Amino acid sequence: LESGYTFTDEELNAYHEENPGSYTGAELPVVRHILFLAPKGVSGYTDATEQELTDAKAKADAALAKVTSLDTMISVGDAALADGSAVEATQYTVSKGQMVTEFENWCFDAARKAGDKAVVQTEYGYHVMYFVGTEKDWMSDAVSALTDTKYSDFIKSQEALPEYAIVKS
C-alpha cells in the first residue's frame, strides 16, 4: 500500500510549511542505482579478485545496455536482485556526504540531466546509475511522513471494522 501512495504538490508544500525543519530548499539529485558487488578495501568485506571485478563490470555493462528509461531501470534492477547478481537496486535522494566520493561526484555533476545513465565504479563495486532528476531537500522527508500518516490512518480504519474485532472466547 505504502509504495502506491501519491501526494499533490499542495499536500507536500503544506507539510513543509507546517514542518520547516532546518531545510535550505536546496535541489538534491535523485538517482536510481543497481549495485554489482565487487568490494576493494571495504571494512567487513573480503576484497574482490580480479576475475570478480571483471565479472561485476560485465554484469553492470550488460545491465546498462538494457536501460532505456526509468521504468526499464527499475525492471532491470528488480531482475538483477531476483537472480542474485545485484545486491541492491534502489532510488536515493542524495545529500552531500551521504555516499562514497565517486557515487556523489556522478550525482552532483553540474551537467547531469534527467535520463543520464552510466556505470560508476566505487570501493563497493560497479553501480549502474540513472539520474531521475532533482527534488527539494525536504521532499523525501515530507513524502515519508505523509506516507506514514496515510498508512497509520488506513490501519486504524481497518481495526474499526467488525471483521477485525477482538472477541474473547
Side-chain angles (χ1 to χ4, degrees), residues 18-156:
E18 293 167 12
N19 303 278
S22 59
Y23 303 106
T24 63
E27 291 287 334
L28 297 177
V30 179
V31 297
R32 189 153 194 98
H33 87 124
I34 306 165
L35 173 57
F36 296 92
L37 188 66
K40 275 289 196 186
V42 179
S43 178
Y45 288 92
T46 301
D47 282 354
T49 64
E50 287 305 314
Q51 186 60 53
E52 290 168 332
L53 285 165
T54 299
D55 292 348
K57 173 81 164 86
K59 290 174 186 174
D61 288 341
L64 180 68
K66 297 175 187 173
V67 175
T68 58
S69 67
L70 178 58
D71 288 341
T72 59
M73 178 68 174
I74 293 168
S75 63
V76 168
D78 289 348
L81 285 175
D83 71 17
S85 61
V87 296
E88 186 174 69
T90 193
Q91 187 165 302
Y92 290 106
T93 300
V94 182
S95 299
K96 290 274 189 184
Q98 178 184 4
M99 302 295 186
V100 294
T101 302
E102 299 85 356
F103 192 104
E104 280 190 17
N105 287 347
W106 190 86
C107 295
F108 284 96
D109 184 328
R112 193 70 52 231
K113 61 187 182 311
D116 284 356
K117 58 185 184 170
V119 171
V120 174
Q121 183 181 13
T122 72
E123 63 201 60
Y124 291 95
Y126 292 90
H127 304 256
V128 176
M129 305 287 288
Y130 186 90
F131 194 79
V132 177
T134 61
E135 67 180 31
K136 297 288 187 192
D137 60 354
W138 52 266
M139 187 68 70
S140 62
D141 288 345
V143 168
S144 179
L146 290 170
T147 297
D148 289 349
T149 299
K150 191 175 251 188
Y151 186 71
S152 178
D153 291 347
F154 170 76
I155 294 298
K156 287 176 187 170

